[in-house]
Every structure is written in C-alpha cells, then in structure tokens.
Amino acid sequence: MAITVVGSVAFDSLQTPSGKREKIVGGSATYFSLSASYFTEVRVVAVVGEDFTAEHEDILRKRGIDTLGLEHSPGLTFHWGGEYGENLNEAKTKFTHLNVFESFQPKVPREYLDSKFLFLANIQPTLQRQVRKQFDKASLVGGDTMNLWINIAREELLKTLKEVDVLLINDTEAKMLSGDSSLPRAARKVMGMGPRALVIKHGEYGATLFFADGHHPFRAPALPLDIVEDPTGAGDCFAGGFMGYIASQPELTKDVLKKAMFYGGVMGSFAIERFGTERLQELSRKEIDERFKLFRSLTHLD
Amino acid sequence: MAITVVGSVAFDSLQTPSGKREKIVGGSATYFSLSASYFTEVRVVAVVGEDFTAEHEDILRKRGIDTLGLEHSPGLTFHWGGEYGENLNEAKTKFTHLNVFESFQPKVPREYLDSKFLFLANIQPTLQRQVRKQFDKASLVGGDTMNLWINIAREELLKTLKEVDVLLINDTEAKMLSGDSSLPRAARKVMGMGPRALVIKHGEYGATLFFADGHHPFRAPALPLDIVEDPTGAGDCFAGGFMGYIASQPELTKDVLKKAMFYGGVMGSFAIERFGTERLQELSRKEIDERFKLFRSLTHLD
C-alpha cells in the first residue's frame, strides 16, 4: 500500500576517504523514497529550487516514485556540504545552504491523502505535525528527528512524538532525547513520549527495535562491509526499507516488524557501498533478497 | 574436555554509578574460570599473595575449578582500582598495584599438560608464549591481549599471535593492532598475523566472529540490559562462555563456534548484572540456557 514521505530533496557535496562528489542529489526524502520504492508505491512531499532539473527528478521518477508533491520554488535547492574522515560514523558539516528549504511549507497533494503509511523524515517538528494531521487515514506513522530539533525545538518535538507510531533515531539522539545513557532505559523513556515502537540505529552494529508493550526487543545486524564509499543516507535508507516492507505486507504483526528491521539493515548496507544514490538507482529485488538471506545467515544459528 | 587458563587472579576496588566495592576478587583468570566452569572442567594458572585467603580461593573451588596451578607467593596480590562513570563502556584506572603479579612466572602443573583447550588471558605476551609452548597437545588455543601490549610489546605479541588459534579482542584493540579503522579490514589484517578465527567484541552491541578461510562472519548479540551494576570482567566471561562451550562439544564445527558466540554473550550479560563475581558464583545451567533462548529470540526471525 502507498506510503507518503515528507522530508528534504537536496544537493550534497561530499568528500570521503574514497573520493569526492559535487552537487549530487541527496536529502532524507530522496534516500527514503528510493529505498522504499523496491517494496511499495511511494509519494514524496518536498521542495526544490530552480537548479533542480528534470534530469535530477528522473532519479526518483525512474523508480516509479510519485513526484506530484515535489514543489518547484523560485531560488536554489537545499545544498549540504560535508566531509567524512577515517571514522565514517561522523560527518563534519562544511556548509548548510538551506535555500528554498528554509521557508518550506509542505503542500500535500489531495491525491496522497489516502496513503495508509506516512513517514515524517527529519524536518522541523512543527512541519512534521502539520503533515501528520492531514493523514487521518494513516494506519502507521513513522518518524525521524535529529539533535538540532532535540536541542532547539524540544517542546514542538514532544508534541509531534505523541502522534508518531514508530520513531527511528540513532544512539546519540535516543540518549539526548531521554537524558539517559542506558539504551534500554532511554528507549523506555522515549516510548513514554508517545511512540508505540522505537528503532534505535547503531550504525555498523545494526539496530534494535523496542516495543512499548514490554515485549522483549529485537536486534537486527548491519553487514560488516569492506567497502564503504559514502555513509550519507544510510539511516534514511534503513527507514525506507523498514517502512516500505511494512507497507507491502497485508498485516502489521511483530514478525513483519522483525523482518522489516532486516530489510532496513539491508537497504542501509546498499546505500553506503557507493556515493550518494548511485547504488540505490540500480538495485534489483533479487539482490535485496539475497542480502536479506546473507543477513539471516550472519546472525542465525541454523 | 579440560581447559587450562593462564591469567590474573586479583583484587579489584571498584566504583560504578550503582555503588562501590573494596578489594573484591577479580582478575581475568577468575572471570574466565567461573564462566567456563558452567560448561567444562577448568584449571587455572595464576599467582596470588599472602592476602589471598582460603575464603577467597573458595570462590573458585566451589565451582569445581582446579586451583593446583594457583601459586601463593610472598607479598600482596595484584590490586586494581577503577571507576566507571555514566558511560559504562570505559573504566578510569585509579591505581594498579601489580604486587606479586609483577614478577609472575607461570608454573604449569604437570597434571594440566594434557588439556585439550588452553586460554591465554591478558598477560604479557612473552609469558603467554611460554605457557603456549608447554601445551603441545592442545587442539584449540584462545587468546586475549590489551592496548598496553599492543603499544609496548608489539614484536612479542606478534610472535604469540602465530601460536593462537582464536583471538578475542575488542573493537579498539582490533583497530590498534591492525592500524585499520574498518572492522572487516582490521579483522583480515589481524588474522593475517596468525589466528584462524577472530572474535571482535563490541560491548553492548555484541560480538562478531571472523574466519580466516573467508567464510562470512557471524554476529552474536548482547542483551539490552536495564541493570548494569559493574561491567568489569564482561570480556573475560565472554571468553569463558565461548571457550567453555567449545570444550564441552565433541567436535569443533562452524555451528559449534556460532553457538559458542551466543554462550559468550550470555555469560558476559550475567557478569555485568552484579558487582564482581557475585552473579557468576550462583548461576545454574538452566538460567544460562534460558538466556541463550532469549538471545536467540532477540535476533532470530522465526
């Protein structure tokens, strides 16, 4: 069933130990959409500027992603510059040109409003809530956030969290949001803020799914990869695989959630093999399912 | 089948966010032995001083551990003082009184020499090698080391690694030893130094087993625990569960190694629930196998 994502479609200029790219297509909604597109129908709500051409948009459209909600606004597209050192877990921001993203007011096409699934990628929490309210038919709402909003828009974020079913954040964000350095305790505190389930992403160590109902957690692996060209977008691709797989299933069971954790890890692992969205444009479902099997054998006793 | 461990039997004075303990029994050989004792016959080679009483030794003896190789030497027992802050992953050393451990010359009782399994816990690599040479009947030799030896005794350590089958170290040690910040590459470089298999421990994220023959790695979880009273000894208990389980099996297959990874994680998770060896003195095999099942359900899709 269809999933709508609201987030950023942007340009990235990146340097990693493997090389350098100038002004390639990135952004949370881009990575999420490409990843989810291997599982289900995806609709995107975002804003781009005049420098975002039809050719850029084709990266999404070629994967069948609905770009009716991609607003073209006068000005330039959001452009982020970052650099990764040998420790690929942390990016050093070189510049952030918000451009048209600074005054982004998400406009949701009426055609999207029947989406059963909604993902609020990392944007200002008030905007996330405005979008959330329009999707009263959504059966599952996923969300992301970042340290910036935890620091400067905490009250707004707490209001948004009350309307999110599954939150996907990383270790640092979970500890920051909860004020607790123990992950299981942090998880419980964050779920006390609203979400029924919480995915904490551990980078190269995988991710853990916590349930608010007290069911014991579930840990999914990340693949120990030799070649990591560019870690940008791994978290958004995780979310895309996770939500996309859920949206493709007839029912939301705990087993579906567990498999979704594996698909999240699988899609994150593809994302980082090449720069930007390169690897995500050319995947096949066969490759995805083969890596799923590999992840299973990497962690399963028999 | 019997396993011999050489390492430290010591006193620890510890402070963690959960409390404080003065001069409790610790040391790598202690933690390893207690953990392995739930799986197989254990023999210990270590040195203690005059302040190490029969009551202290009973902690080992009550678990059926052979202490014939526990040398009593004039002077005081090795005594380590450490403190853990909210980040329980790292201890701050307050003092290290090597005492009788400073001139430790492992004396292996003749009765131990038929051991099929040997674990070289974290001691000076030249001493590890001296012990290793005496066990020419050992079918599997495990080893540990630490940043100190990687820094100040690298050449000696490299000689020792040539005679170790399975090395168990943590992320930082693997990166330091290999000079490579990518774990899979670091793993390959370390195995190039001798070991046929390598276990890299990731603390609360579990551990990964790498094989020199190119077989894909295996990741075992750590349990997200609410209560961590004292992380001391977790790594040695992992090694004890890992080697102990292997020693209890008729054959060394890849499946046995994978299960051993789970038992390692299980024993590490018990270790940290209480201060020092408290939890490890009173376990039952039933509790261990229940947690094994829990670890399985924490990571397995069905």
Side-chain angles (χ1 to χ4, degrees), chain B residues 26-39:
Chain B
S28 59
T30 302
Y31 281 108
F32 180 93
S33 299
L34 287 172
S35 174
S37 73
Y38 290 92
F39 301 90

Side-chain angles (χ1 to χ4, degrees), chain B residues 87-158:
Chain B
N87 174 6
L88 289 162
N89 295 313
E90 241 172 290
K92 204 175 100 190
T93 291
K94 292 174 85 173
F95 59 82
T96 306
H97 302 320
L98 290 173
N99 298 331
V100 297
F101 195 64
E102 190 158 15
S103 50
F104 178 40
Q105 289 295 332
K107 291 174 195 66
V108 181
R110 210 154 24 143
E111 293 87 339
Y112 285 13
L113 293 176
D114 63 352
S115 303
K116 286 281 176 225
F117 297 86
L118 172 66
F119 188 69
L120 308 167
N122 170 32
I123 56 171
Q124 207 280 337
T126 315
L127 299 183
Q128 289 182 315
R129 209 162 60 253
Q130 282 169 16
V131 173
R132 168 67 186 97
K133 282 189 198 309
Q134 298 175 58
F135 286 81
D136 47 3
K137 289 186 196 108
S139 60
L140 191 83
V141 179
D144 187 9
T145 192
M146 72 186 289
N147 47 10
L148 178 70
W149 311 126
I150 297 171
N151 282 327
I152 72 167
R154 188 177 173 87
E155 289 312 308
E156 285 302 316
L157 178 59
L158 290 177

Side-chain angles (χ1 to χ4, degrees), chain A residues 86 171 181 184-185 188 202 204-205 216-219 224-226 258 292 296-302, chain B residues 86 171 181 184 188 202 204-205 216-219 224-226 258 292 294 296-302:
Chain A
E86 280 300 326
D171 289 297
S181 63
R185 280 201 312 258
R188 234 181 7 249
H202 316 306
E204 66 178 316
Y205 301 121
H216 66 71
F218 185 74
R219 169 80 48 92
L225 281 174
D226 267 29
K258 289 175 182 181
F292 182 95
R296 181 193 275 260
S297 69
L298 193 75
T299 49
H300 282 46
L301 288 169
D302 27 57
Chain B
E86 281 299 326
D171 290 295
S181 63
R188 231 176 15 242
H202 316 305
E204 65 178 316
Y205 302 121
H216 66 71
F218 186 73
R219 168 78 48 91
L225 281 173
D226 267 29
K258 289 176 181 180
F292 182 95
L294 181 60
R296 179 193 276 259
S297 67
L298 193 74
T299 49
H300 282 46
L301 288 170
D302 28 59

Side-chain angles (χ1 to χ4, degrees), chain A residues 92-284:
Chain A
K92 205 175 100 189
T93 292
K94 293 175 86 174
F95 60 83
T96 306
H97 302 320
L98 289 173
N99 299 332
V100 297
F101 195 63
E102 190 158 14
S103 51
F104 178 39
Q105 289 295 332
K107 291 174 194 64
V108 181
R110 212 158 20 146
E111 293 85 340
Y112 285 13
L113 293 176
D114 63 351
S115 302
K116 287 281 175 226
F117 297 87
L118 173 66
F119 188 69
L120 309 166
N122 171 32
I123 56 171
Q124 206 279 338
T126 314
L127 298 183
Q128 288 181 315
R129 210 162 59 254
Q130 282 169 14
V131 173
R132 168 67 185 96
K133 281 189 200 311
Q134 300 175 57
F135 286 81
D136 47 3
K137 288 187 195 108
S139 60
L140 191 83
V141 179
D144 187 8
T145 191
M146 72 185 290
N147 47 9
L148 178 70
W149 312 125
I150 298 171
N151 282 329
I152 71 165
R154 189 179 171 86
E155 289 311 309
E156 284 302 315
L157 178 59
L158 289 177
K159 282 187 215 163
T160 301
L161 289 182
K162 286 196 205 311
E163 301 178 44
V164 166
D165 298 306
V166 187
L167 183 70
L168 294 94
I169 49 181
N170 67 29
D171 289 297
T172 311
E173 290 155 356
K175 290 176 182 176
M176 207 185 255
L177 184 55
S178 64
D180 199 313
S181 63
S182 145
L183 272 192
R185 280 201 312 258
R188 234 181 7 249
K189 287 182 185 174
V190 171
M191 288 185 294
M193 297 168 189
R196 290 184 283 145
L198 172 68
V199 175
I200 303 186
K201 295 170 286 178
H202 316 306
E204 66 178 316
Y205 301 121
T208 308
L209 170 64
F210 294 91
F211 298 100
D213 68 5
H215 192 278
H216 66 71
F218 185 74
R219 169 80 48 92
L223 187 70
L225 281 174
D226 267 29
I227 301 156
V228 179
E229 281 203 344
D230 171 18
T232 312
D236 297 308
C237 285
F238 184 103
F242 179 82
M243 293 285 299
Y245 177 73
I246 290 172
S248 76
Q249 295 302 299
E251 228 192 324
L252 181 62
T253 63
K254 285 214 159 70
D255 277 349
V256 166
L257 282 167
K258 289 175 182 181
K259 276 195 182 158
M261 288 290 287
F262 268 69
Y263 277 111
V266 162
M267 297 311 293
S269 80
F270 281 121
I272 64 182
E273 285 183 359
R274 301 276 178 277
F275 269 91
T277 60
E278 283 171 28
R279 189 76 172 103
L280 301 160
Q281 296 177 41
E282 45 127 68
L283 278 171
S284 69

Side-chain angles (χ1 to χ4, degrees), chain B residues 24 27 33 38 46 84 118 129 133 140 145 153 156 159 178-179 187 197 203 237 242 274 281 286:
Chain B
I24 55 172
S33 299
Y38 290 92
Y84 299 85
L118 172 66
R129 209 162 60 253
K133 282 189 198 309
L140 191 83
T145 192
E156 285 302 316
K159 283 187 215 163
S178 63
C237 284
F242 178 83
R274 302 275 178 280
Q281 295 176 42
K286 189 162 163 276

